Amino acid sequence: PLLFTKVMCPPNRGHSRLVSVRNLVDSIGGTFSIGNRPSGGTAACIQIPLPVYVLVEDDPLIQEGWARAAERSGAMLIQFSDVDSVLERIAEIPRRATFFIDEHLRNDFGTHLCEELKLRGFNDLFLQSGDPNAGLGTPGLTRGLIGKTVPFEPVVDSISR
């Protein structure tokens, strides 16, 4: 319902409304097509990709928890345990991916990876910390600092119902 709220409410009509739909779907990495049905009438098809989550975490127990949650919810999860592995495969990761990066990796800080990802055009970045006294992240660099629980499972579950 939220996807189409923006499209159905504008005062524009006809063709411009279809352009609004196409622009909205394109902005989230989906596809929109419209055509004639052989039996008459019009057919519209909207395909919206599942979100892509990237976890950069060096704790195997945290990785396992995220993997199980992703499997249960049908989310696409890509996991790495260090900064070098992420940078080696960065070309394979879609720009729409949401990154969850451990604040304190074994050989580096998560903020260093966030800086590199920002330079490469990634913007949906969260630092993670198991420390309840951790700071608020780096303003302007990340969307925030969160705990190490799986944040996407309830969202995907509510969409699938």
Side-chain angles (χ1 to χ4, degrees):
L2 294 177
L3 175 65
F4 295 104
T5 303
K6 293 179 184 175
V7 176
M8 297 308 187
C9 292
N12 53 10
R13 301 186 197 309
H15 178 12
S16 59
R17 187 168 283 172
L18 288 175
V19 171
S20 296
V21 171
R22 169 163 271 153
N23 290 341
L24 180 61
V25 172
D26 286 347
S27 74
I28 58 174
T31 60
F32 174 78
S33 61
I34 191 164
N36 296 324
R37 293 177 142 182
S39 59
T42 303
C45 179
I46 297 174
Q47 293 180 312
I48 300 171
L50 286 174
V52 176
Y53 300 104
V54 179
L55 175 66
V56 185
E57 171 64 59
D58 54 10
D59 183 331
L61 292 175
I62 303 284
Q63 289 175 339
E64 180 63 24
W66 277 64
R68 287 182 183 190
E71 186 177 323
R72 280 192 308 271
S73 64
M76 181 178 178
L77 176 66
I78 304 168
Q79 294 193 59
F80 300 99
S81 58
D82 60 73
V83 172
D84 291 338
S85 298
V86 176
L87 297 178
E88 286 171 11
R89 295 190 46 208
I90 199 73
E92 302 168 27
I93 301 172
R95 291 287 182 269
R96 64 185 170 80
T98 301
F99 283 79
F100 297 92
I101 303 164
D102 188 359
E103 185 178 41
H104 297 289
L105 296 162
R106 282 191 191 103
N107 297 323
D108 208 341
F109 290 103
T111 51
H112 294 154
L113 178 57
C114 288
E115 289 167 353
E116 184 63 33
L117 291 170
K118 275 284 198 188
L119 290 173
R120 294 177 185 229
F122 293 93
N123 293 307
D124 208 4
L125 311 172
F126 291 90
L127 281 175
Q128 289 188 283
S129 178
D131 179 2
N133 299 315
L136 298 174
T138 307
L141 183 62
T142 67
R143 290 186 51 202
L145 178 69
I146 62 172
K148 294 213 176 185
T149 58
V150 180
F152 62 83
E153 191 171 20
V155 173
V156 174
D157 283 349
S158 67
I159 291 170
S160 64
R161 290 186 187 157

